[in-house]
């Protein structure tokens, strides 16, 4: 499998491609990373250095890949955080070029906008761009609960309302929706859930909620789920594998006392997920 991953990069820590590439490689996926920013660290620190890469330069890198004649070998285009609205046009164009070369290729979009605690943390134009232009051309999207609500104009909180919101998102274009954080009022205390919905049904999985925030875990989840789903075509299996790997990555990070994801230290959990959580069909 080959994945063209168009995302940010940081030198210190693990977000964007700096979070997604190694776990994908560890499960045997060939990754072609294209960077949209090249920062010293993620912006959660409040200070960082390094350039935003211009849309023209990002497009130029993709054109160079195309000139090597490899777009027909790409199975998946994956995108995450978009630093500026011009990058959206580049991604949409890249998806069109890849699908022209390989009609079986799919586009997986992680519509990064924010979360319930922090609100939106991207430029004001980005959520509108994602909703109106990027998500409609995606095959797979991996929003958190907050992002799903914004995309669909709904308020997902129960299983039923989250399913309805996922269906509303699927009506926009993507056939598969992975909701990476489902926090419903009637769940067991100190737990969090992930849900996936596709044409064949809907499944949910529950894990302990670890008491800390780790930047980049959503990027890892989006990457691993996309690869597992593309490889197996089985949403429940992909959800189980992804949940197991990401939970153990977060557990390892929490136990380390470090702020940044312990991405390398957790590598066996990507290659050999423990499959310790039960996936339940909800539709």
């Amino acid at each position: 499998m080959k994945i063209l991953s168009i995302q940010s990069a940081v030198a210190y820590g693990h977000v964007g491609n700096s979070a997604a590439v190694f776990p994908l490689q560890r499960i045997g996926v060939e990754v072609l990373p294209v960077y949209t920013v090249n920062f010293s660290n993620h912006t959660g620190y409040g200070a960082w250095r390094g350039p935003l890469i211009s849309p023209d330069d990002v497009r130029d890198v993709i054109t160079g890949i195309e000139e090597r004649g490899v777009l027909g070998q790409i199975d998946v285009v994956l995108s995450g955080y978009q630093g500026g609205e011009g990058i959206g046009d580049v991604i949409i164009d890249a998806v069109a070029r890849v699908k022209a070369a390989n009609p079986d290729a799919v586009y997986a979009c992680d519509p990064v906008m924010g979360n319930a605690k922090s609100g939106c943390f991207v430029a004001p134009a980005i959520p509108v761009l994602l909703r109106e232009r990027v998500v409609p051309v995606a095959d797979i999207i991996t929003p958190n609960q907050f992002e799903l609500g914004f995309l669909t104009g709904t308020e997902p909180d129960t299983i039923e309302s989250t399913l309805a919101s996922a269906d509303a998102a699927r009506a926009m274009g993507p056939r598969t929706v992975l909701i990476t954080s489902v926090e419903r009022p009637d769940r067991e205390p100190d737990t969090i859930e992930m849900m996936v919905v596709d044409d064949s049904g809907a499944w949910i999985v529950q894990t302990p909620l670890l008491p800390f925030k780790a930047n980049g875990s959503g990027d890892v989840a989006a990457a691993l789920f996309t690869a597992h789903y593309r490889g197996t075509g089985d949403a429940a299996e992909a959800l189980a594998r992804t949940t197991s790997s990401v939970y153990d990555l977060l557990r390892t990070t929490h136990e380390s006392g470090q702020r940044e994801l312990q991405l390398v230290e957790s590598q066996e959990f990507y290659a050999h997920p423990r499959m310790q959580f039960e996936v339940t069909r909800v539709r």
Side-chain angles (χ1 to χ4, degrees), residues 224-239:
L224 288 176
F225 175 81
T226 296
H228 289 312
Y229 186 61
R230 176 62 171 169
T232 66
D234 187 325
E237 176 74 9
L239 179 63

Side-chain angles (χ1 to χ4, degrees), residues 3-7 17 21 25 30-35 61 65:
I3 293 182
L4 177 67
S5 183
I6 308 170
Q7 300 195 57
N17 267 335
V21 171
Q25 291 171 330
E30 182 73 32
V31 187
L32 286 70
V34 175
Y35 303 134
V61 171
I65 295 170

